[in-house]
Structures are given as structure tokens and as C-alpha cells.
Amino acid sequence: MRDNKRKFPRGISLALAALFWLAVWEAASLAVNLEFLLPSPVRVAERLAVLAREAEFWGAAGGSMLRVLLGFLFAFLAGVLGAALAFRFSPVAALLSPVLRIVKATPVASFILLALVWIPSPGVPVFTSFLMVFPIVFGNVLSGMQSTDRNLIEMGRMYRFSPLSMLRQIYLPSIVPYLTAACGTGLGLAWKAGVAAEVLANTRLSLGGKIYAAKIYFETPDLFAWTAVVIAMSVALEKLVLLLMRRLLRIFHLEAAHADRGTPDKAL
Amino acid sequence: MLTVEHLTKRFDGVPVLTDFSCVFPETGIVAIAGPSGYGKTTLLRCIAGLEKPDGGVISGVPERIAYCFQEDRLLPWRTALGNLEAVLGKRRRAEALGWLERVGLADAADKYPSELSGGMRSRVAFARALAFDAPLLLLDEPFHALDDATRADMESLLAEKSRGKLVLLVTHQAPPEGAPVVRIGER
């Protein structure tokens, strides 16, 4: 049967969709005709170009990137370690369960405000990112471990795989799709929570701090421009981390684990 | 000498093996036959230590056992060669390739289990069990997915490579020529 649907390459359809929404934004901005309510995309791009020429811009971007990355990395390490402990010792899972439920259900703003009381301001975005990402990495890695094929574990035992070999040959490939999904979701959340914390903590040299300042002075084009920077950096970091993971999988001959088991995250 | 005395095993209270006893020879192929659901696989699993018997004693089990399970149980993320290397170690790649060649799968060395047919996968699993080089081989219907000619080839390979070892072969097909048959679940 002939397929009558005309298909565009993915890049072209994405670009067309982006152009459509930019046109909608421009039209809405023209209709509102008040820059402090809704600046036009052209005006935002102009502000972005101006801001990017300032050294402070790169300082703020670098500072935010560092804080978000630190929070994510701590959460990643703690999540993997916690999940391994919970898998091995069930009381650990029982002990952590209520804490994780509370963390998941609590509004991020509550944590940020509490963290402002507990720890120095520059540490608040790191702590908030950590808190948002930890339950995701922990939950995903634990699910990956629990869903490891019992038959393969038995096979490994019969053929006398060493503990390291069991980890490399059986557990790790089972966890890979879950871990990749956790990275994709976790990084997005780390940025959202981290920047929200920077806004509330008015952190020095931060994108959140810049957003806060733009809001205080009604510089709406700047607010849009800084937000665009956050989005761009979040997407770029996610792509970079997933690329790095793909490299690591290739080095450890685990890319087939990803391909075979499929993954909830199609980004890789 | 592998000896099973008064072995009883129940699953959820339902007896699968009841008071089964058998003294196996030191070496050679012993076929284990009987209707489905009468405990042939359970017997192998009890011998391998994968199931705890509810009663009875199993003695003379060597430390090293090669177990070819009813399912292929290949690592889906490793190639056929990789699956053998997982057992033999990477330094013995040539040996692993040799085993694949012996089961007629040298050309499929770089293929993943999902790219192999059921019969090919069971041959990789069979090669893995032979390659493990244990004094006791537990083979649970390893040839059920094979055509008659390939099955005959695999049986002669088994006869050749299992000299000096004890092989317990669960089968629904005719046992290899000359192999004593232990029947489970038949009066």
C-alpha cells in the first residue's frame, strides 16, 4: 500500500514548529504592545546578544552550571549507592521509603526556604538540586536491580561468576536503561530546582539571581533572555551527559544492553 | 559418587518429587526421562543446589557444575562469542571460538542472542556448558529445539567431550545410544 503521508526530516519539522511558535509569540507581543508584559522575540534576542557580551553573563552561566552539576552528581552517587544498599539490605529500603515519599510530595519552595535557614546561600541551589534528583536516581536504580532477570543471576551463580563479574555482566546491563532515564529526567529537574533556589536565595553569580534582578526592575526582556539561557544550558547539559553515557556504554561494551532492553528515555 | 537418597521436594505443598533415590555412576551419560511435571528439572535443580530439598540427602556433588538450563539463559547484551567469554574469560577467546565452531556456529560468533534462532541459542548454551569444563554436567532438554541431524551431531559431540565426566541429560526424546535411563514419575 502506498503511504500518502508526506514525511519531513525531523530537523525540518522541528524548525518549522519552532518558527510557528515564534510567530505566535511575535503576534501576541504585537497584540499586547507592552514590552514589560510580553516582549517580542526579536527584542529578547537583542537583549541576549547584549548580555552575552558582558563578563558577568558567563560568570552567572558558569556559576549556575557548577551548582546544578554538583547537586546532580552528589545525587547520582548517593542514589546509586543508596539503591545498592537498599537492594542488598531490605531494612535500608524500608528506612528510606518514608523520607523519599515526603521529599517527593513536598513543594520545592518549602525546601528552598528551609535550606536558606539551615545552610549558607551558595549551597542552597546545590542542596535543592540534590534533593530533587536523589529520589529519581535511587528509585530508578533500585527498580533496575529488582528487575534483573533471576534466571541470569542463577546462571551466573552456576558458572561461578565473581561478584565483580556478576555486577559487570548481569546487574549493570540491567540497570543501564533505568540509569539513563534517571539522568534525562534528573538533569531537567536539577536545573528547575537549582535555578528556583537561586531566585529565592538571590545567589551571587547565578542565572537565578539575574532572573530575580530582572523581575525586581521590571526588565521583562532580560527575564525572558535569562530564562532562554537556562533552557539552552539545561538542554545542552542533558545532551552532553547522555553523550558521555553513550561513550561509557561503548567503552564497557554495554551499548547492546541499552538496545536490547529498550529504555523509557528515547534521548540516547 | 553422586547419590540421591529419599529426595522429596514440594512446591506450595504440592509434591513434585517424592522419596526419589538413585546412585549415579562415576562417569558417563545418564538419561533422565519421564512425563512432564514429574520433577526431572527439580531433580537437577536440587543437585545443583538451586532448590532446597524438603527431605532426603544428596551427596557426592562436585563443587564445579556446568548447567545447561531448559531456557538458553544467554546474556542478551553479549554476542554468542561474548557469552562464552563470560564463562571462559576474555583471554581464552580462541578457545571460545573453537567451541562455537564445534557446535556449528562460528559464523554467528558476533551475533546477539536476539539475532539467533531458538536452535542456535540452545547450541550456544550447550557450548557454554561444555566449555565450562566441570566434572558434572546437568543438561535440561538441551536439544529440544534442534532438528534430528543437528541433534545427532550435538549428541556425538557430547559423547566425545564428556569422557571422564558424569552427564545427567533430561530428555523427552530417545536417549543417546547406550545411555542408561533413569525414569521419574513412571511405574
Side-chain angles (χ1 to χ4, degrees):
Chain A
M1 214 166 85
R2 265 181 65 185
D3 184 5
N4 290 326
K5 282 182 192 167
R6 181 174 288 177
K7 284 179 185 162
F8 289 109
R10 193 165 174 262
I12 294 180
S13 60
L14 259 177
L16 285 174
L19 273 176
F20 170 79
W21 288 112
L22 279 173
V24 170
W25 178 6
E26 178 70 33
S29 153
L30 282 172
V32 172
N33 201 23
L34 281 172
E35 190 181 275
F36 81 93
L37 273 185
L38 186 62
S40 76
V42 177
R43 177 77 182 117
V44 171
E46 277 171 10
R47 282 305 299 153
L48 197 56
V50 170
L51 291 170
R53 282 198 286 270
E54 294 168 9
E56 222 176 316
F57 174 94
W58 298 102
S64 288
M65 174 72 88
L66 183 71
R67 281 182 283 271
V68 168
L69 256 182
L70 274 179
F72 176 81
L73 282 177
F74 286 145
F76 184 87
L77 294 175
V80 171
L81 189 71
L85 285 173
F87 181 68
R88 182 73 184 80
F89 310 105
S90 52
V92 176
L95 199 70
L96 283 175
S97 173
V99 180
L100 292 176
R101 275 167 195 258
I102 289 170
V103 170
K104 278 184 189 170
T106 308
V108 64
S110 304
F111 278 124
I112 297 169
L113 295 174
L114 277 173
L116 276 170
V117 178
W118 294 336
I119 53 179
S121 163
V124 175
V126 179
F127 174 75
T128 314
S129 297
F130 169 86
L131 221 51
M132 291 300 108
V133 178
F134 175 74
I136 293 170
V137 175
F138 175 86
N140 273 30
V141 172
L142 189 59
S143 297
M145 286 178 165
Q146 285 167 340
S147 69
T148 303
D149 190 341
R150 314 292 309 169
N151 282 346
L152 292 182
I153 296 170
E154 265 188 8
M155 183 277 294
R157 273 176 58 201
M158 282 320 301
Y159 286 107
R160 304 172 78 84
F161 283 17
S162 65
L164 189 68
S165 192
M166 285 291 268
L167 186 73
R168 266 264 342 253
Q169 309 275 6
I170 295 173
Y171 283 108
L172 209 52
S174 305
I175 299 164
V176 161
Y178 293 85
L179 204 55
T180 313
C183 281
T185 317
L187 273 170
L189 259 182
W191 271 104
K192 280 183 192 169
V195 171
E198 286 176 347
V199 170
L200 286 180
N202 195 13
T203 312
R204 254 193 82 246
L205 274 184
S206 76
L207 293 173
K210 295 293 178 193
I211 288 173
Y212 180 73
K215 179 240 166 198
I216 289 287
Y217 300 113
F218 286 105
E219 289 166 343
T220 315
D222 283 22
L223 200 154
F224 270 73
W226 287 117
T227 306
V229 175
V230 172
I231 295 169
M233 288 183 67
S234 170
V235 171
L237 187 65
E238 190 185 322
K239 297 259 181 232
L240 192 75
V241 168
L242 291 177
L243 189 77
L244 198 72
M245 276 203 76
R246 196 152 51 183
R247 283 273 164 87
L248 281 174
L249 294 182
R250 201 169 298 150
I251 290 169
F252 291 106
H253 305 289
L254 286 175
E255 64 271 50
H258 203 276
D260 182 81
R261 297 291 292 270
T263 168
D265 185 350
K266 298 288 179 202
L268 200 75
Chain B
M1 193 174 289
L2 177 62
T3 307
V4 178
E5 292 170 273
H6 308 292
L7 180 66
T8 297
K9 177 69 191 172
R10 285 182 285 269
F11 288 108
D12 298 325
V14 179
V16 177
L17 273 171
T18 308
D19 202 30
F20 174 82
S21 295
C22 187
V23 179
F24 293 97
E26 289 276 4
T27 60
I29 300 173
V30 177
I32 297 172
S36 296
Y38 276 76
K40 301 185 295 298
T41 297
T42 304
L43 171 65
L44 294 197
R45 289 179 63 81
C46 286
I47 291 171
L50 295 175
E51 298 291 349
K52 204 171 164 232
D54 292 313
V57 177
I58 300 171
S59 56
V61 181
E63 217 171 277
R64 204 173 156 87
I65 301 171
Y67 197 150
C68 190
F69 296 90
Q70 214 168 54
E71 321 81 30
D72 58 73
R73 301 201 186 184
L74 298 177
L75 299 168
W77 36 81
R78 299 295 305 270
T79 59
L81 181 64
N83 267 280
L84 265 87
E85 281 177 350
V87 169
L88 288 173
K90 271 205 159 178
R91 275 173 287 178
R92 292 162 71 183
R93 171 168 287 205
E95 195 185 329
L97 265 171
W99 281 110
L100 284 178
E101 206 171 314
R102 284 187 194 106
V103 294
L105 291 174
D107 292 343
D110 294 330
K111 288 202 159 47
Y112 287 94
S114 58
E115 299 169 318
L116 302 173
S117 70
M120 290 162 102
R121 284 201 298 272
S122 64
R123 273 187 281 163
V124 177
F126 177 57
R128 179 177 63 187
L130 290 181
F132 190 55
D133 194 24
L136 175 60
L137 270 87
L138 304 176
L139 309 179
D140 197 350
E141 297 188 52
F143 311 134
H144 73 281
L146 304 182
D147 59 72
D148 289 346
T150 316
R151 186 185 152 213
D153 287 346
M154 293 304 109
E155 281 183 355
S156 60
L157 179 66
L158 176 63
E160 178 197 332
K161 294 295 168 193
S162 64
R163 280 191 202 113
K165 298 173 181 180
L166 173 61
V167 179
L168 303 189
L169 172 69
V170 169
T171 181
H172 281 294
Q173 293 151 321
E177 216 179 296
V181 180
V182 171
R183 295 196 181 275
I184 297 184
E186 286 177 359
R187 292 169 208 282

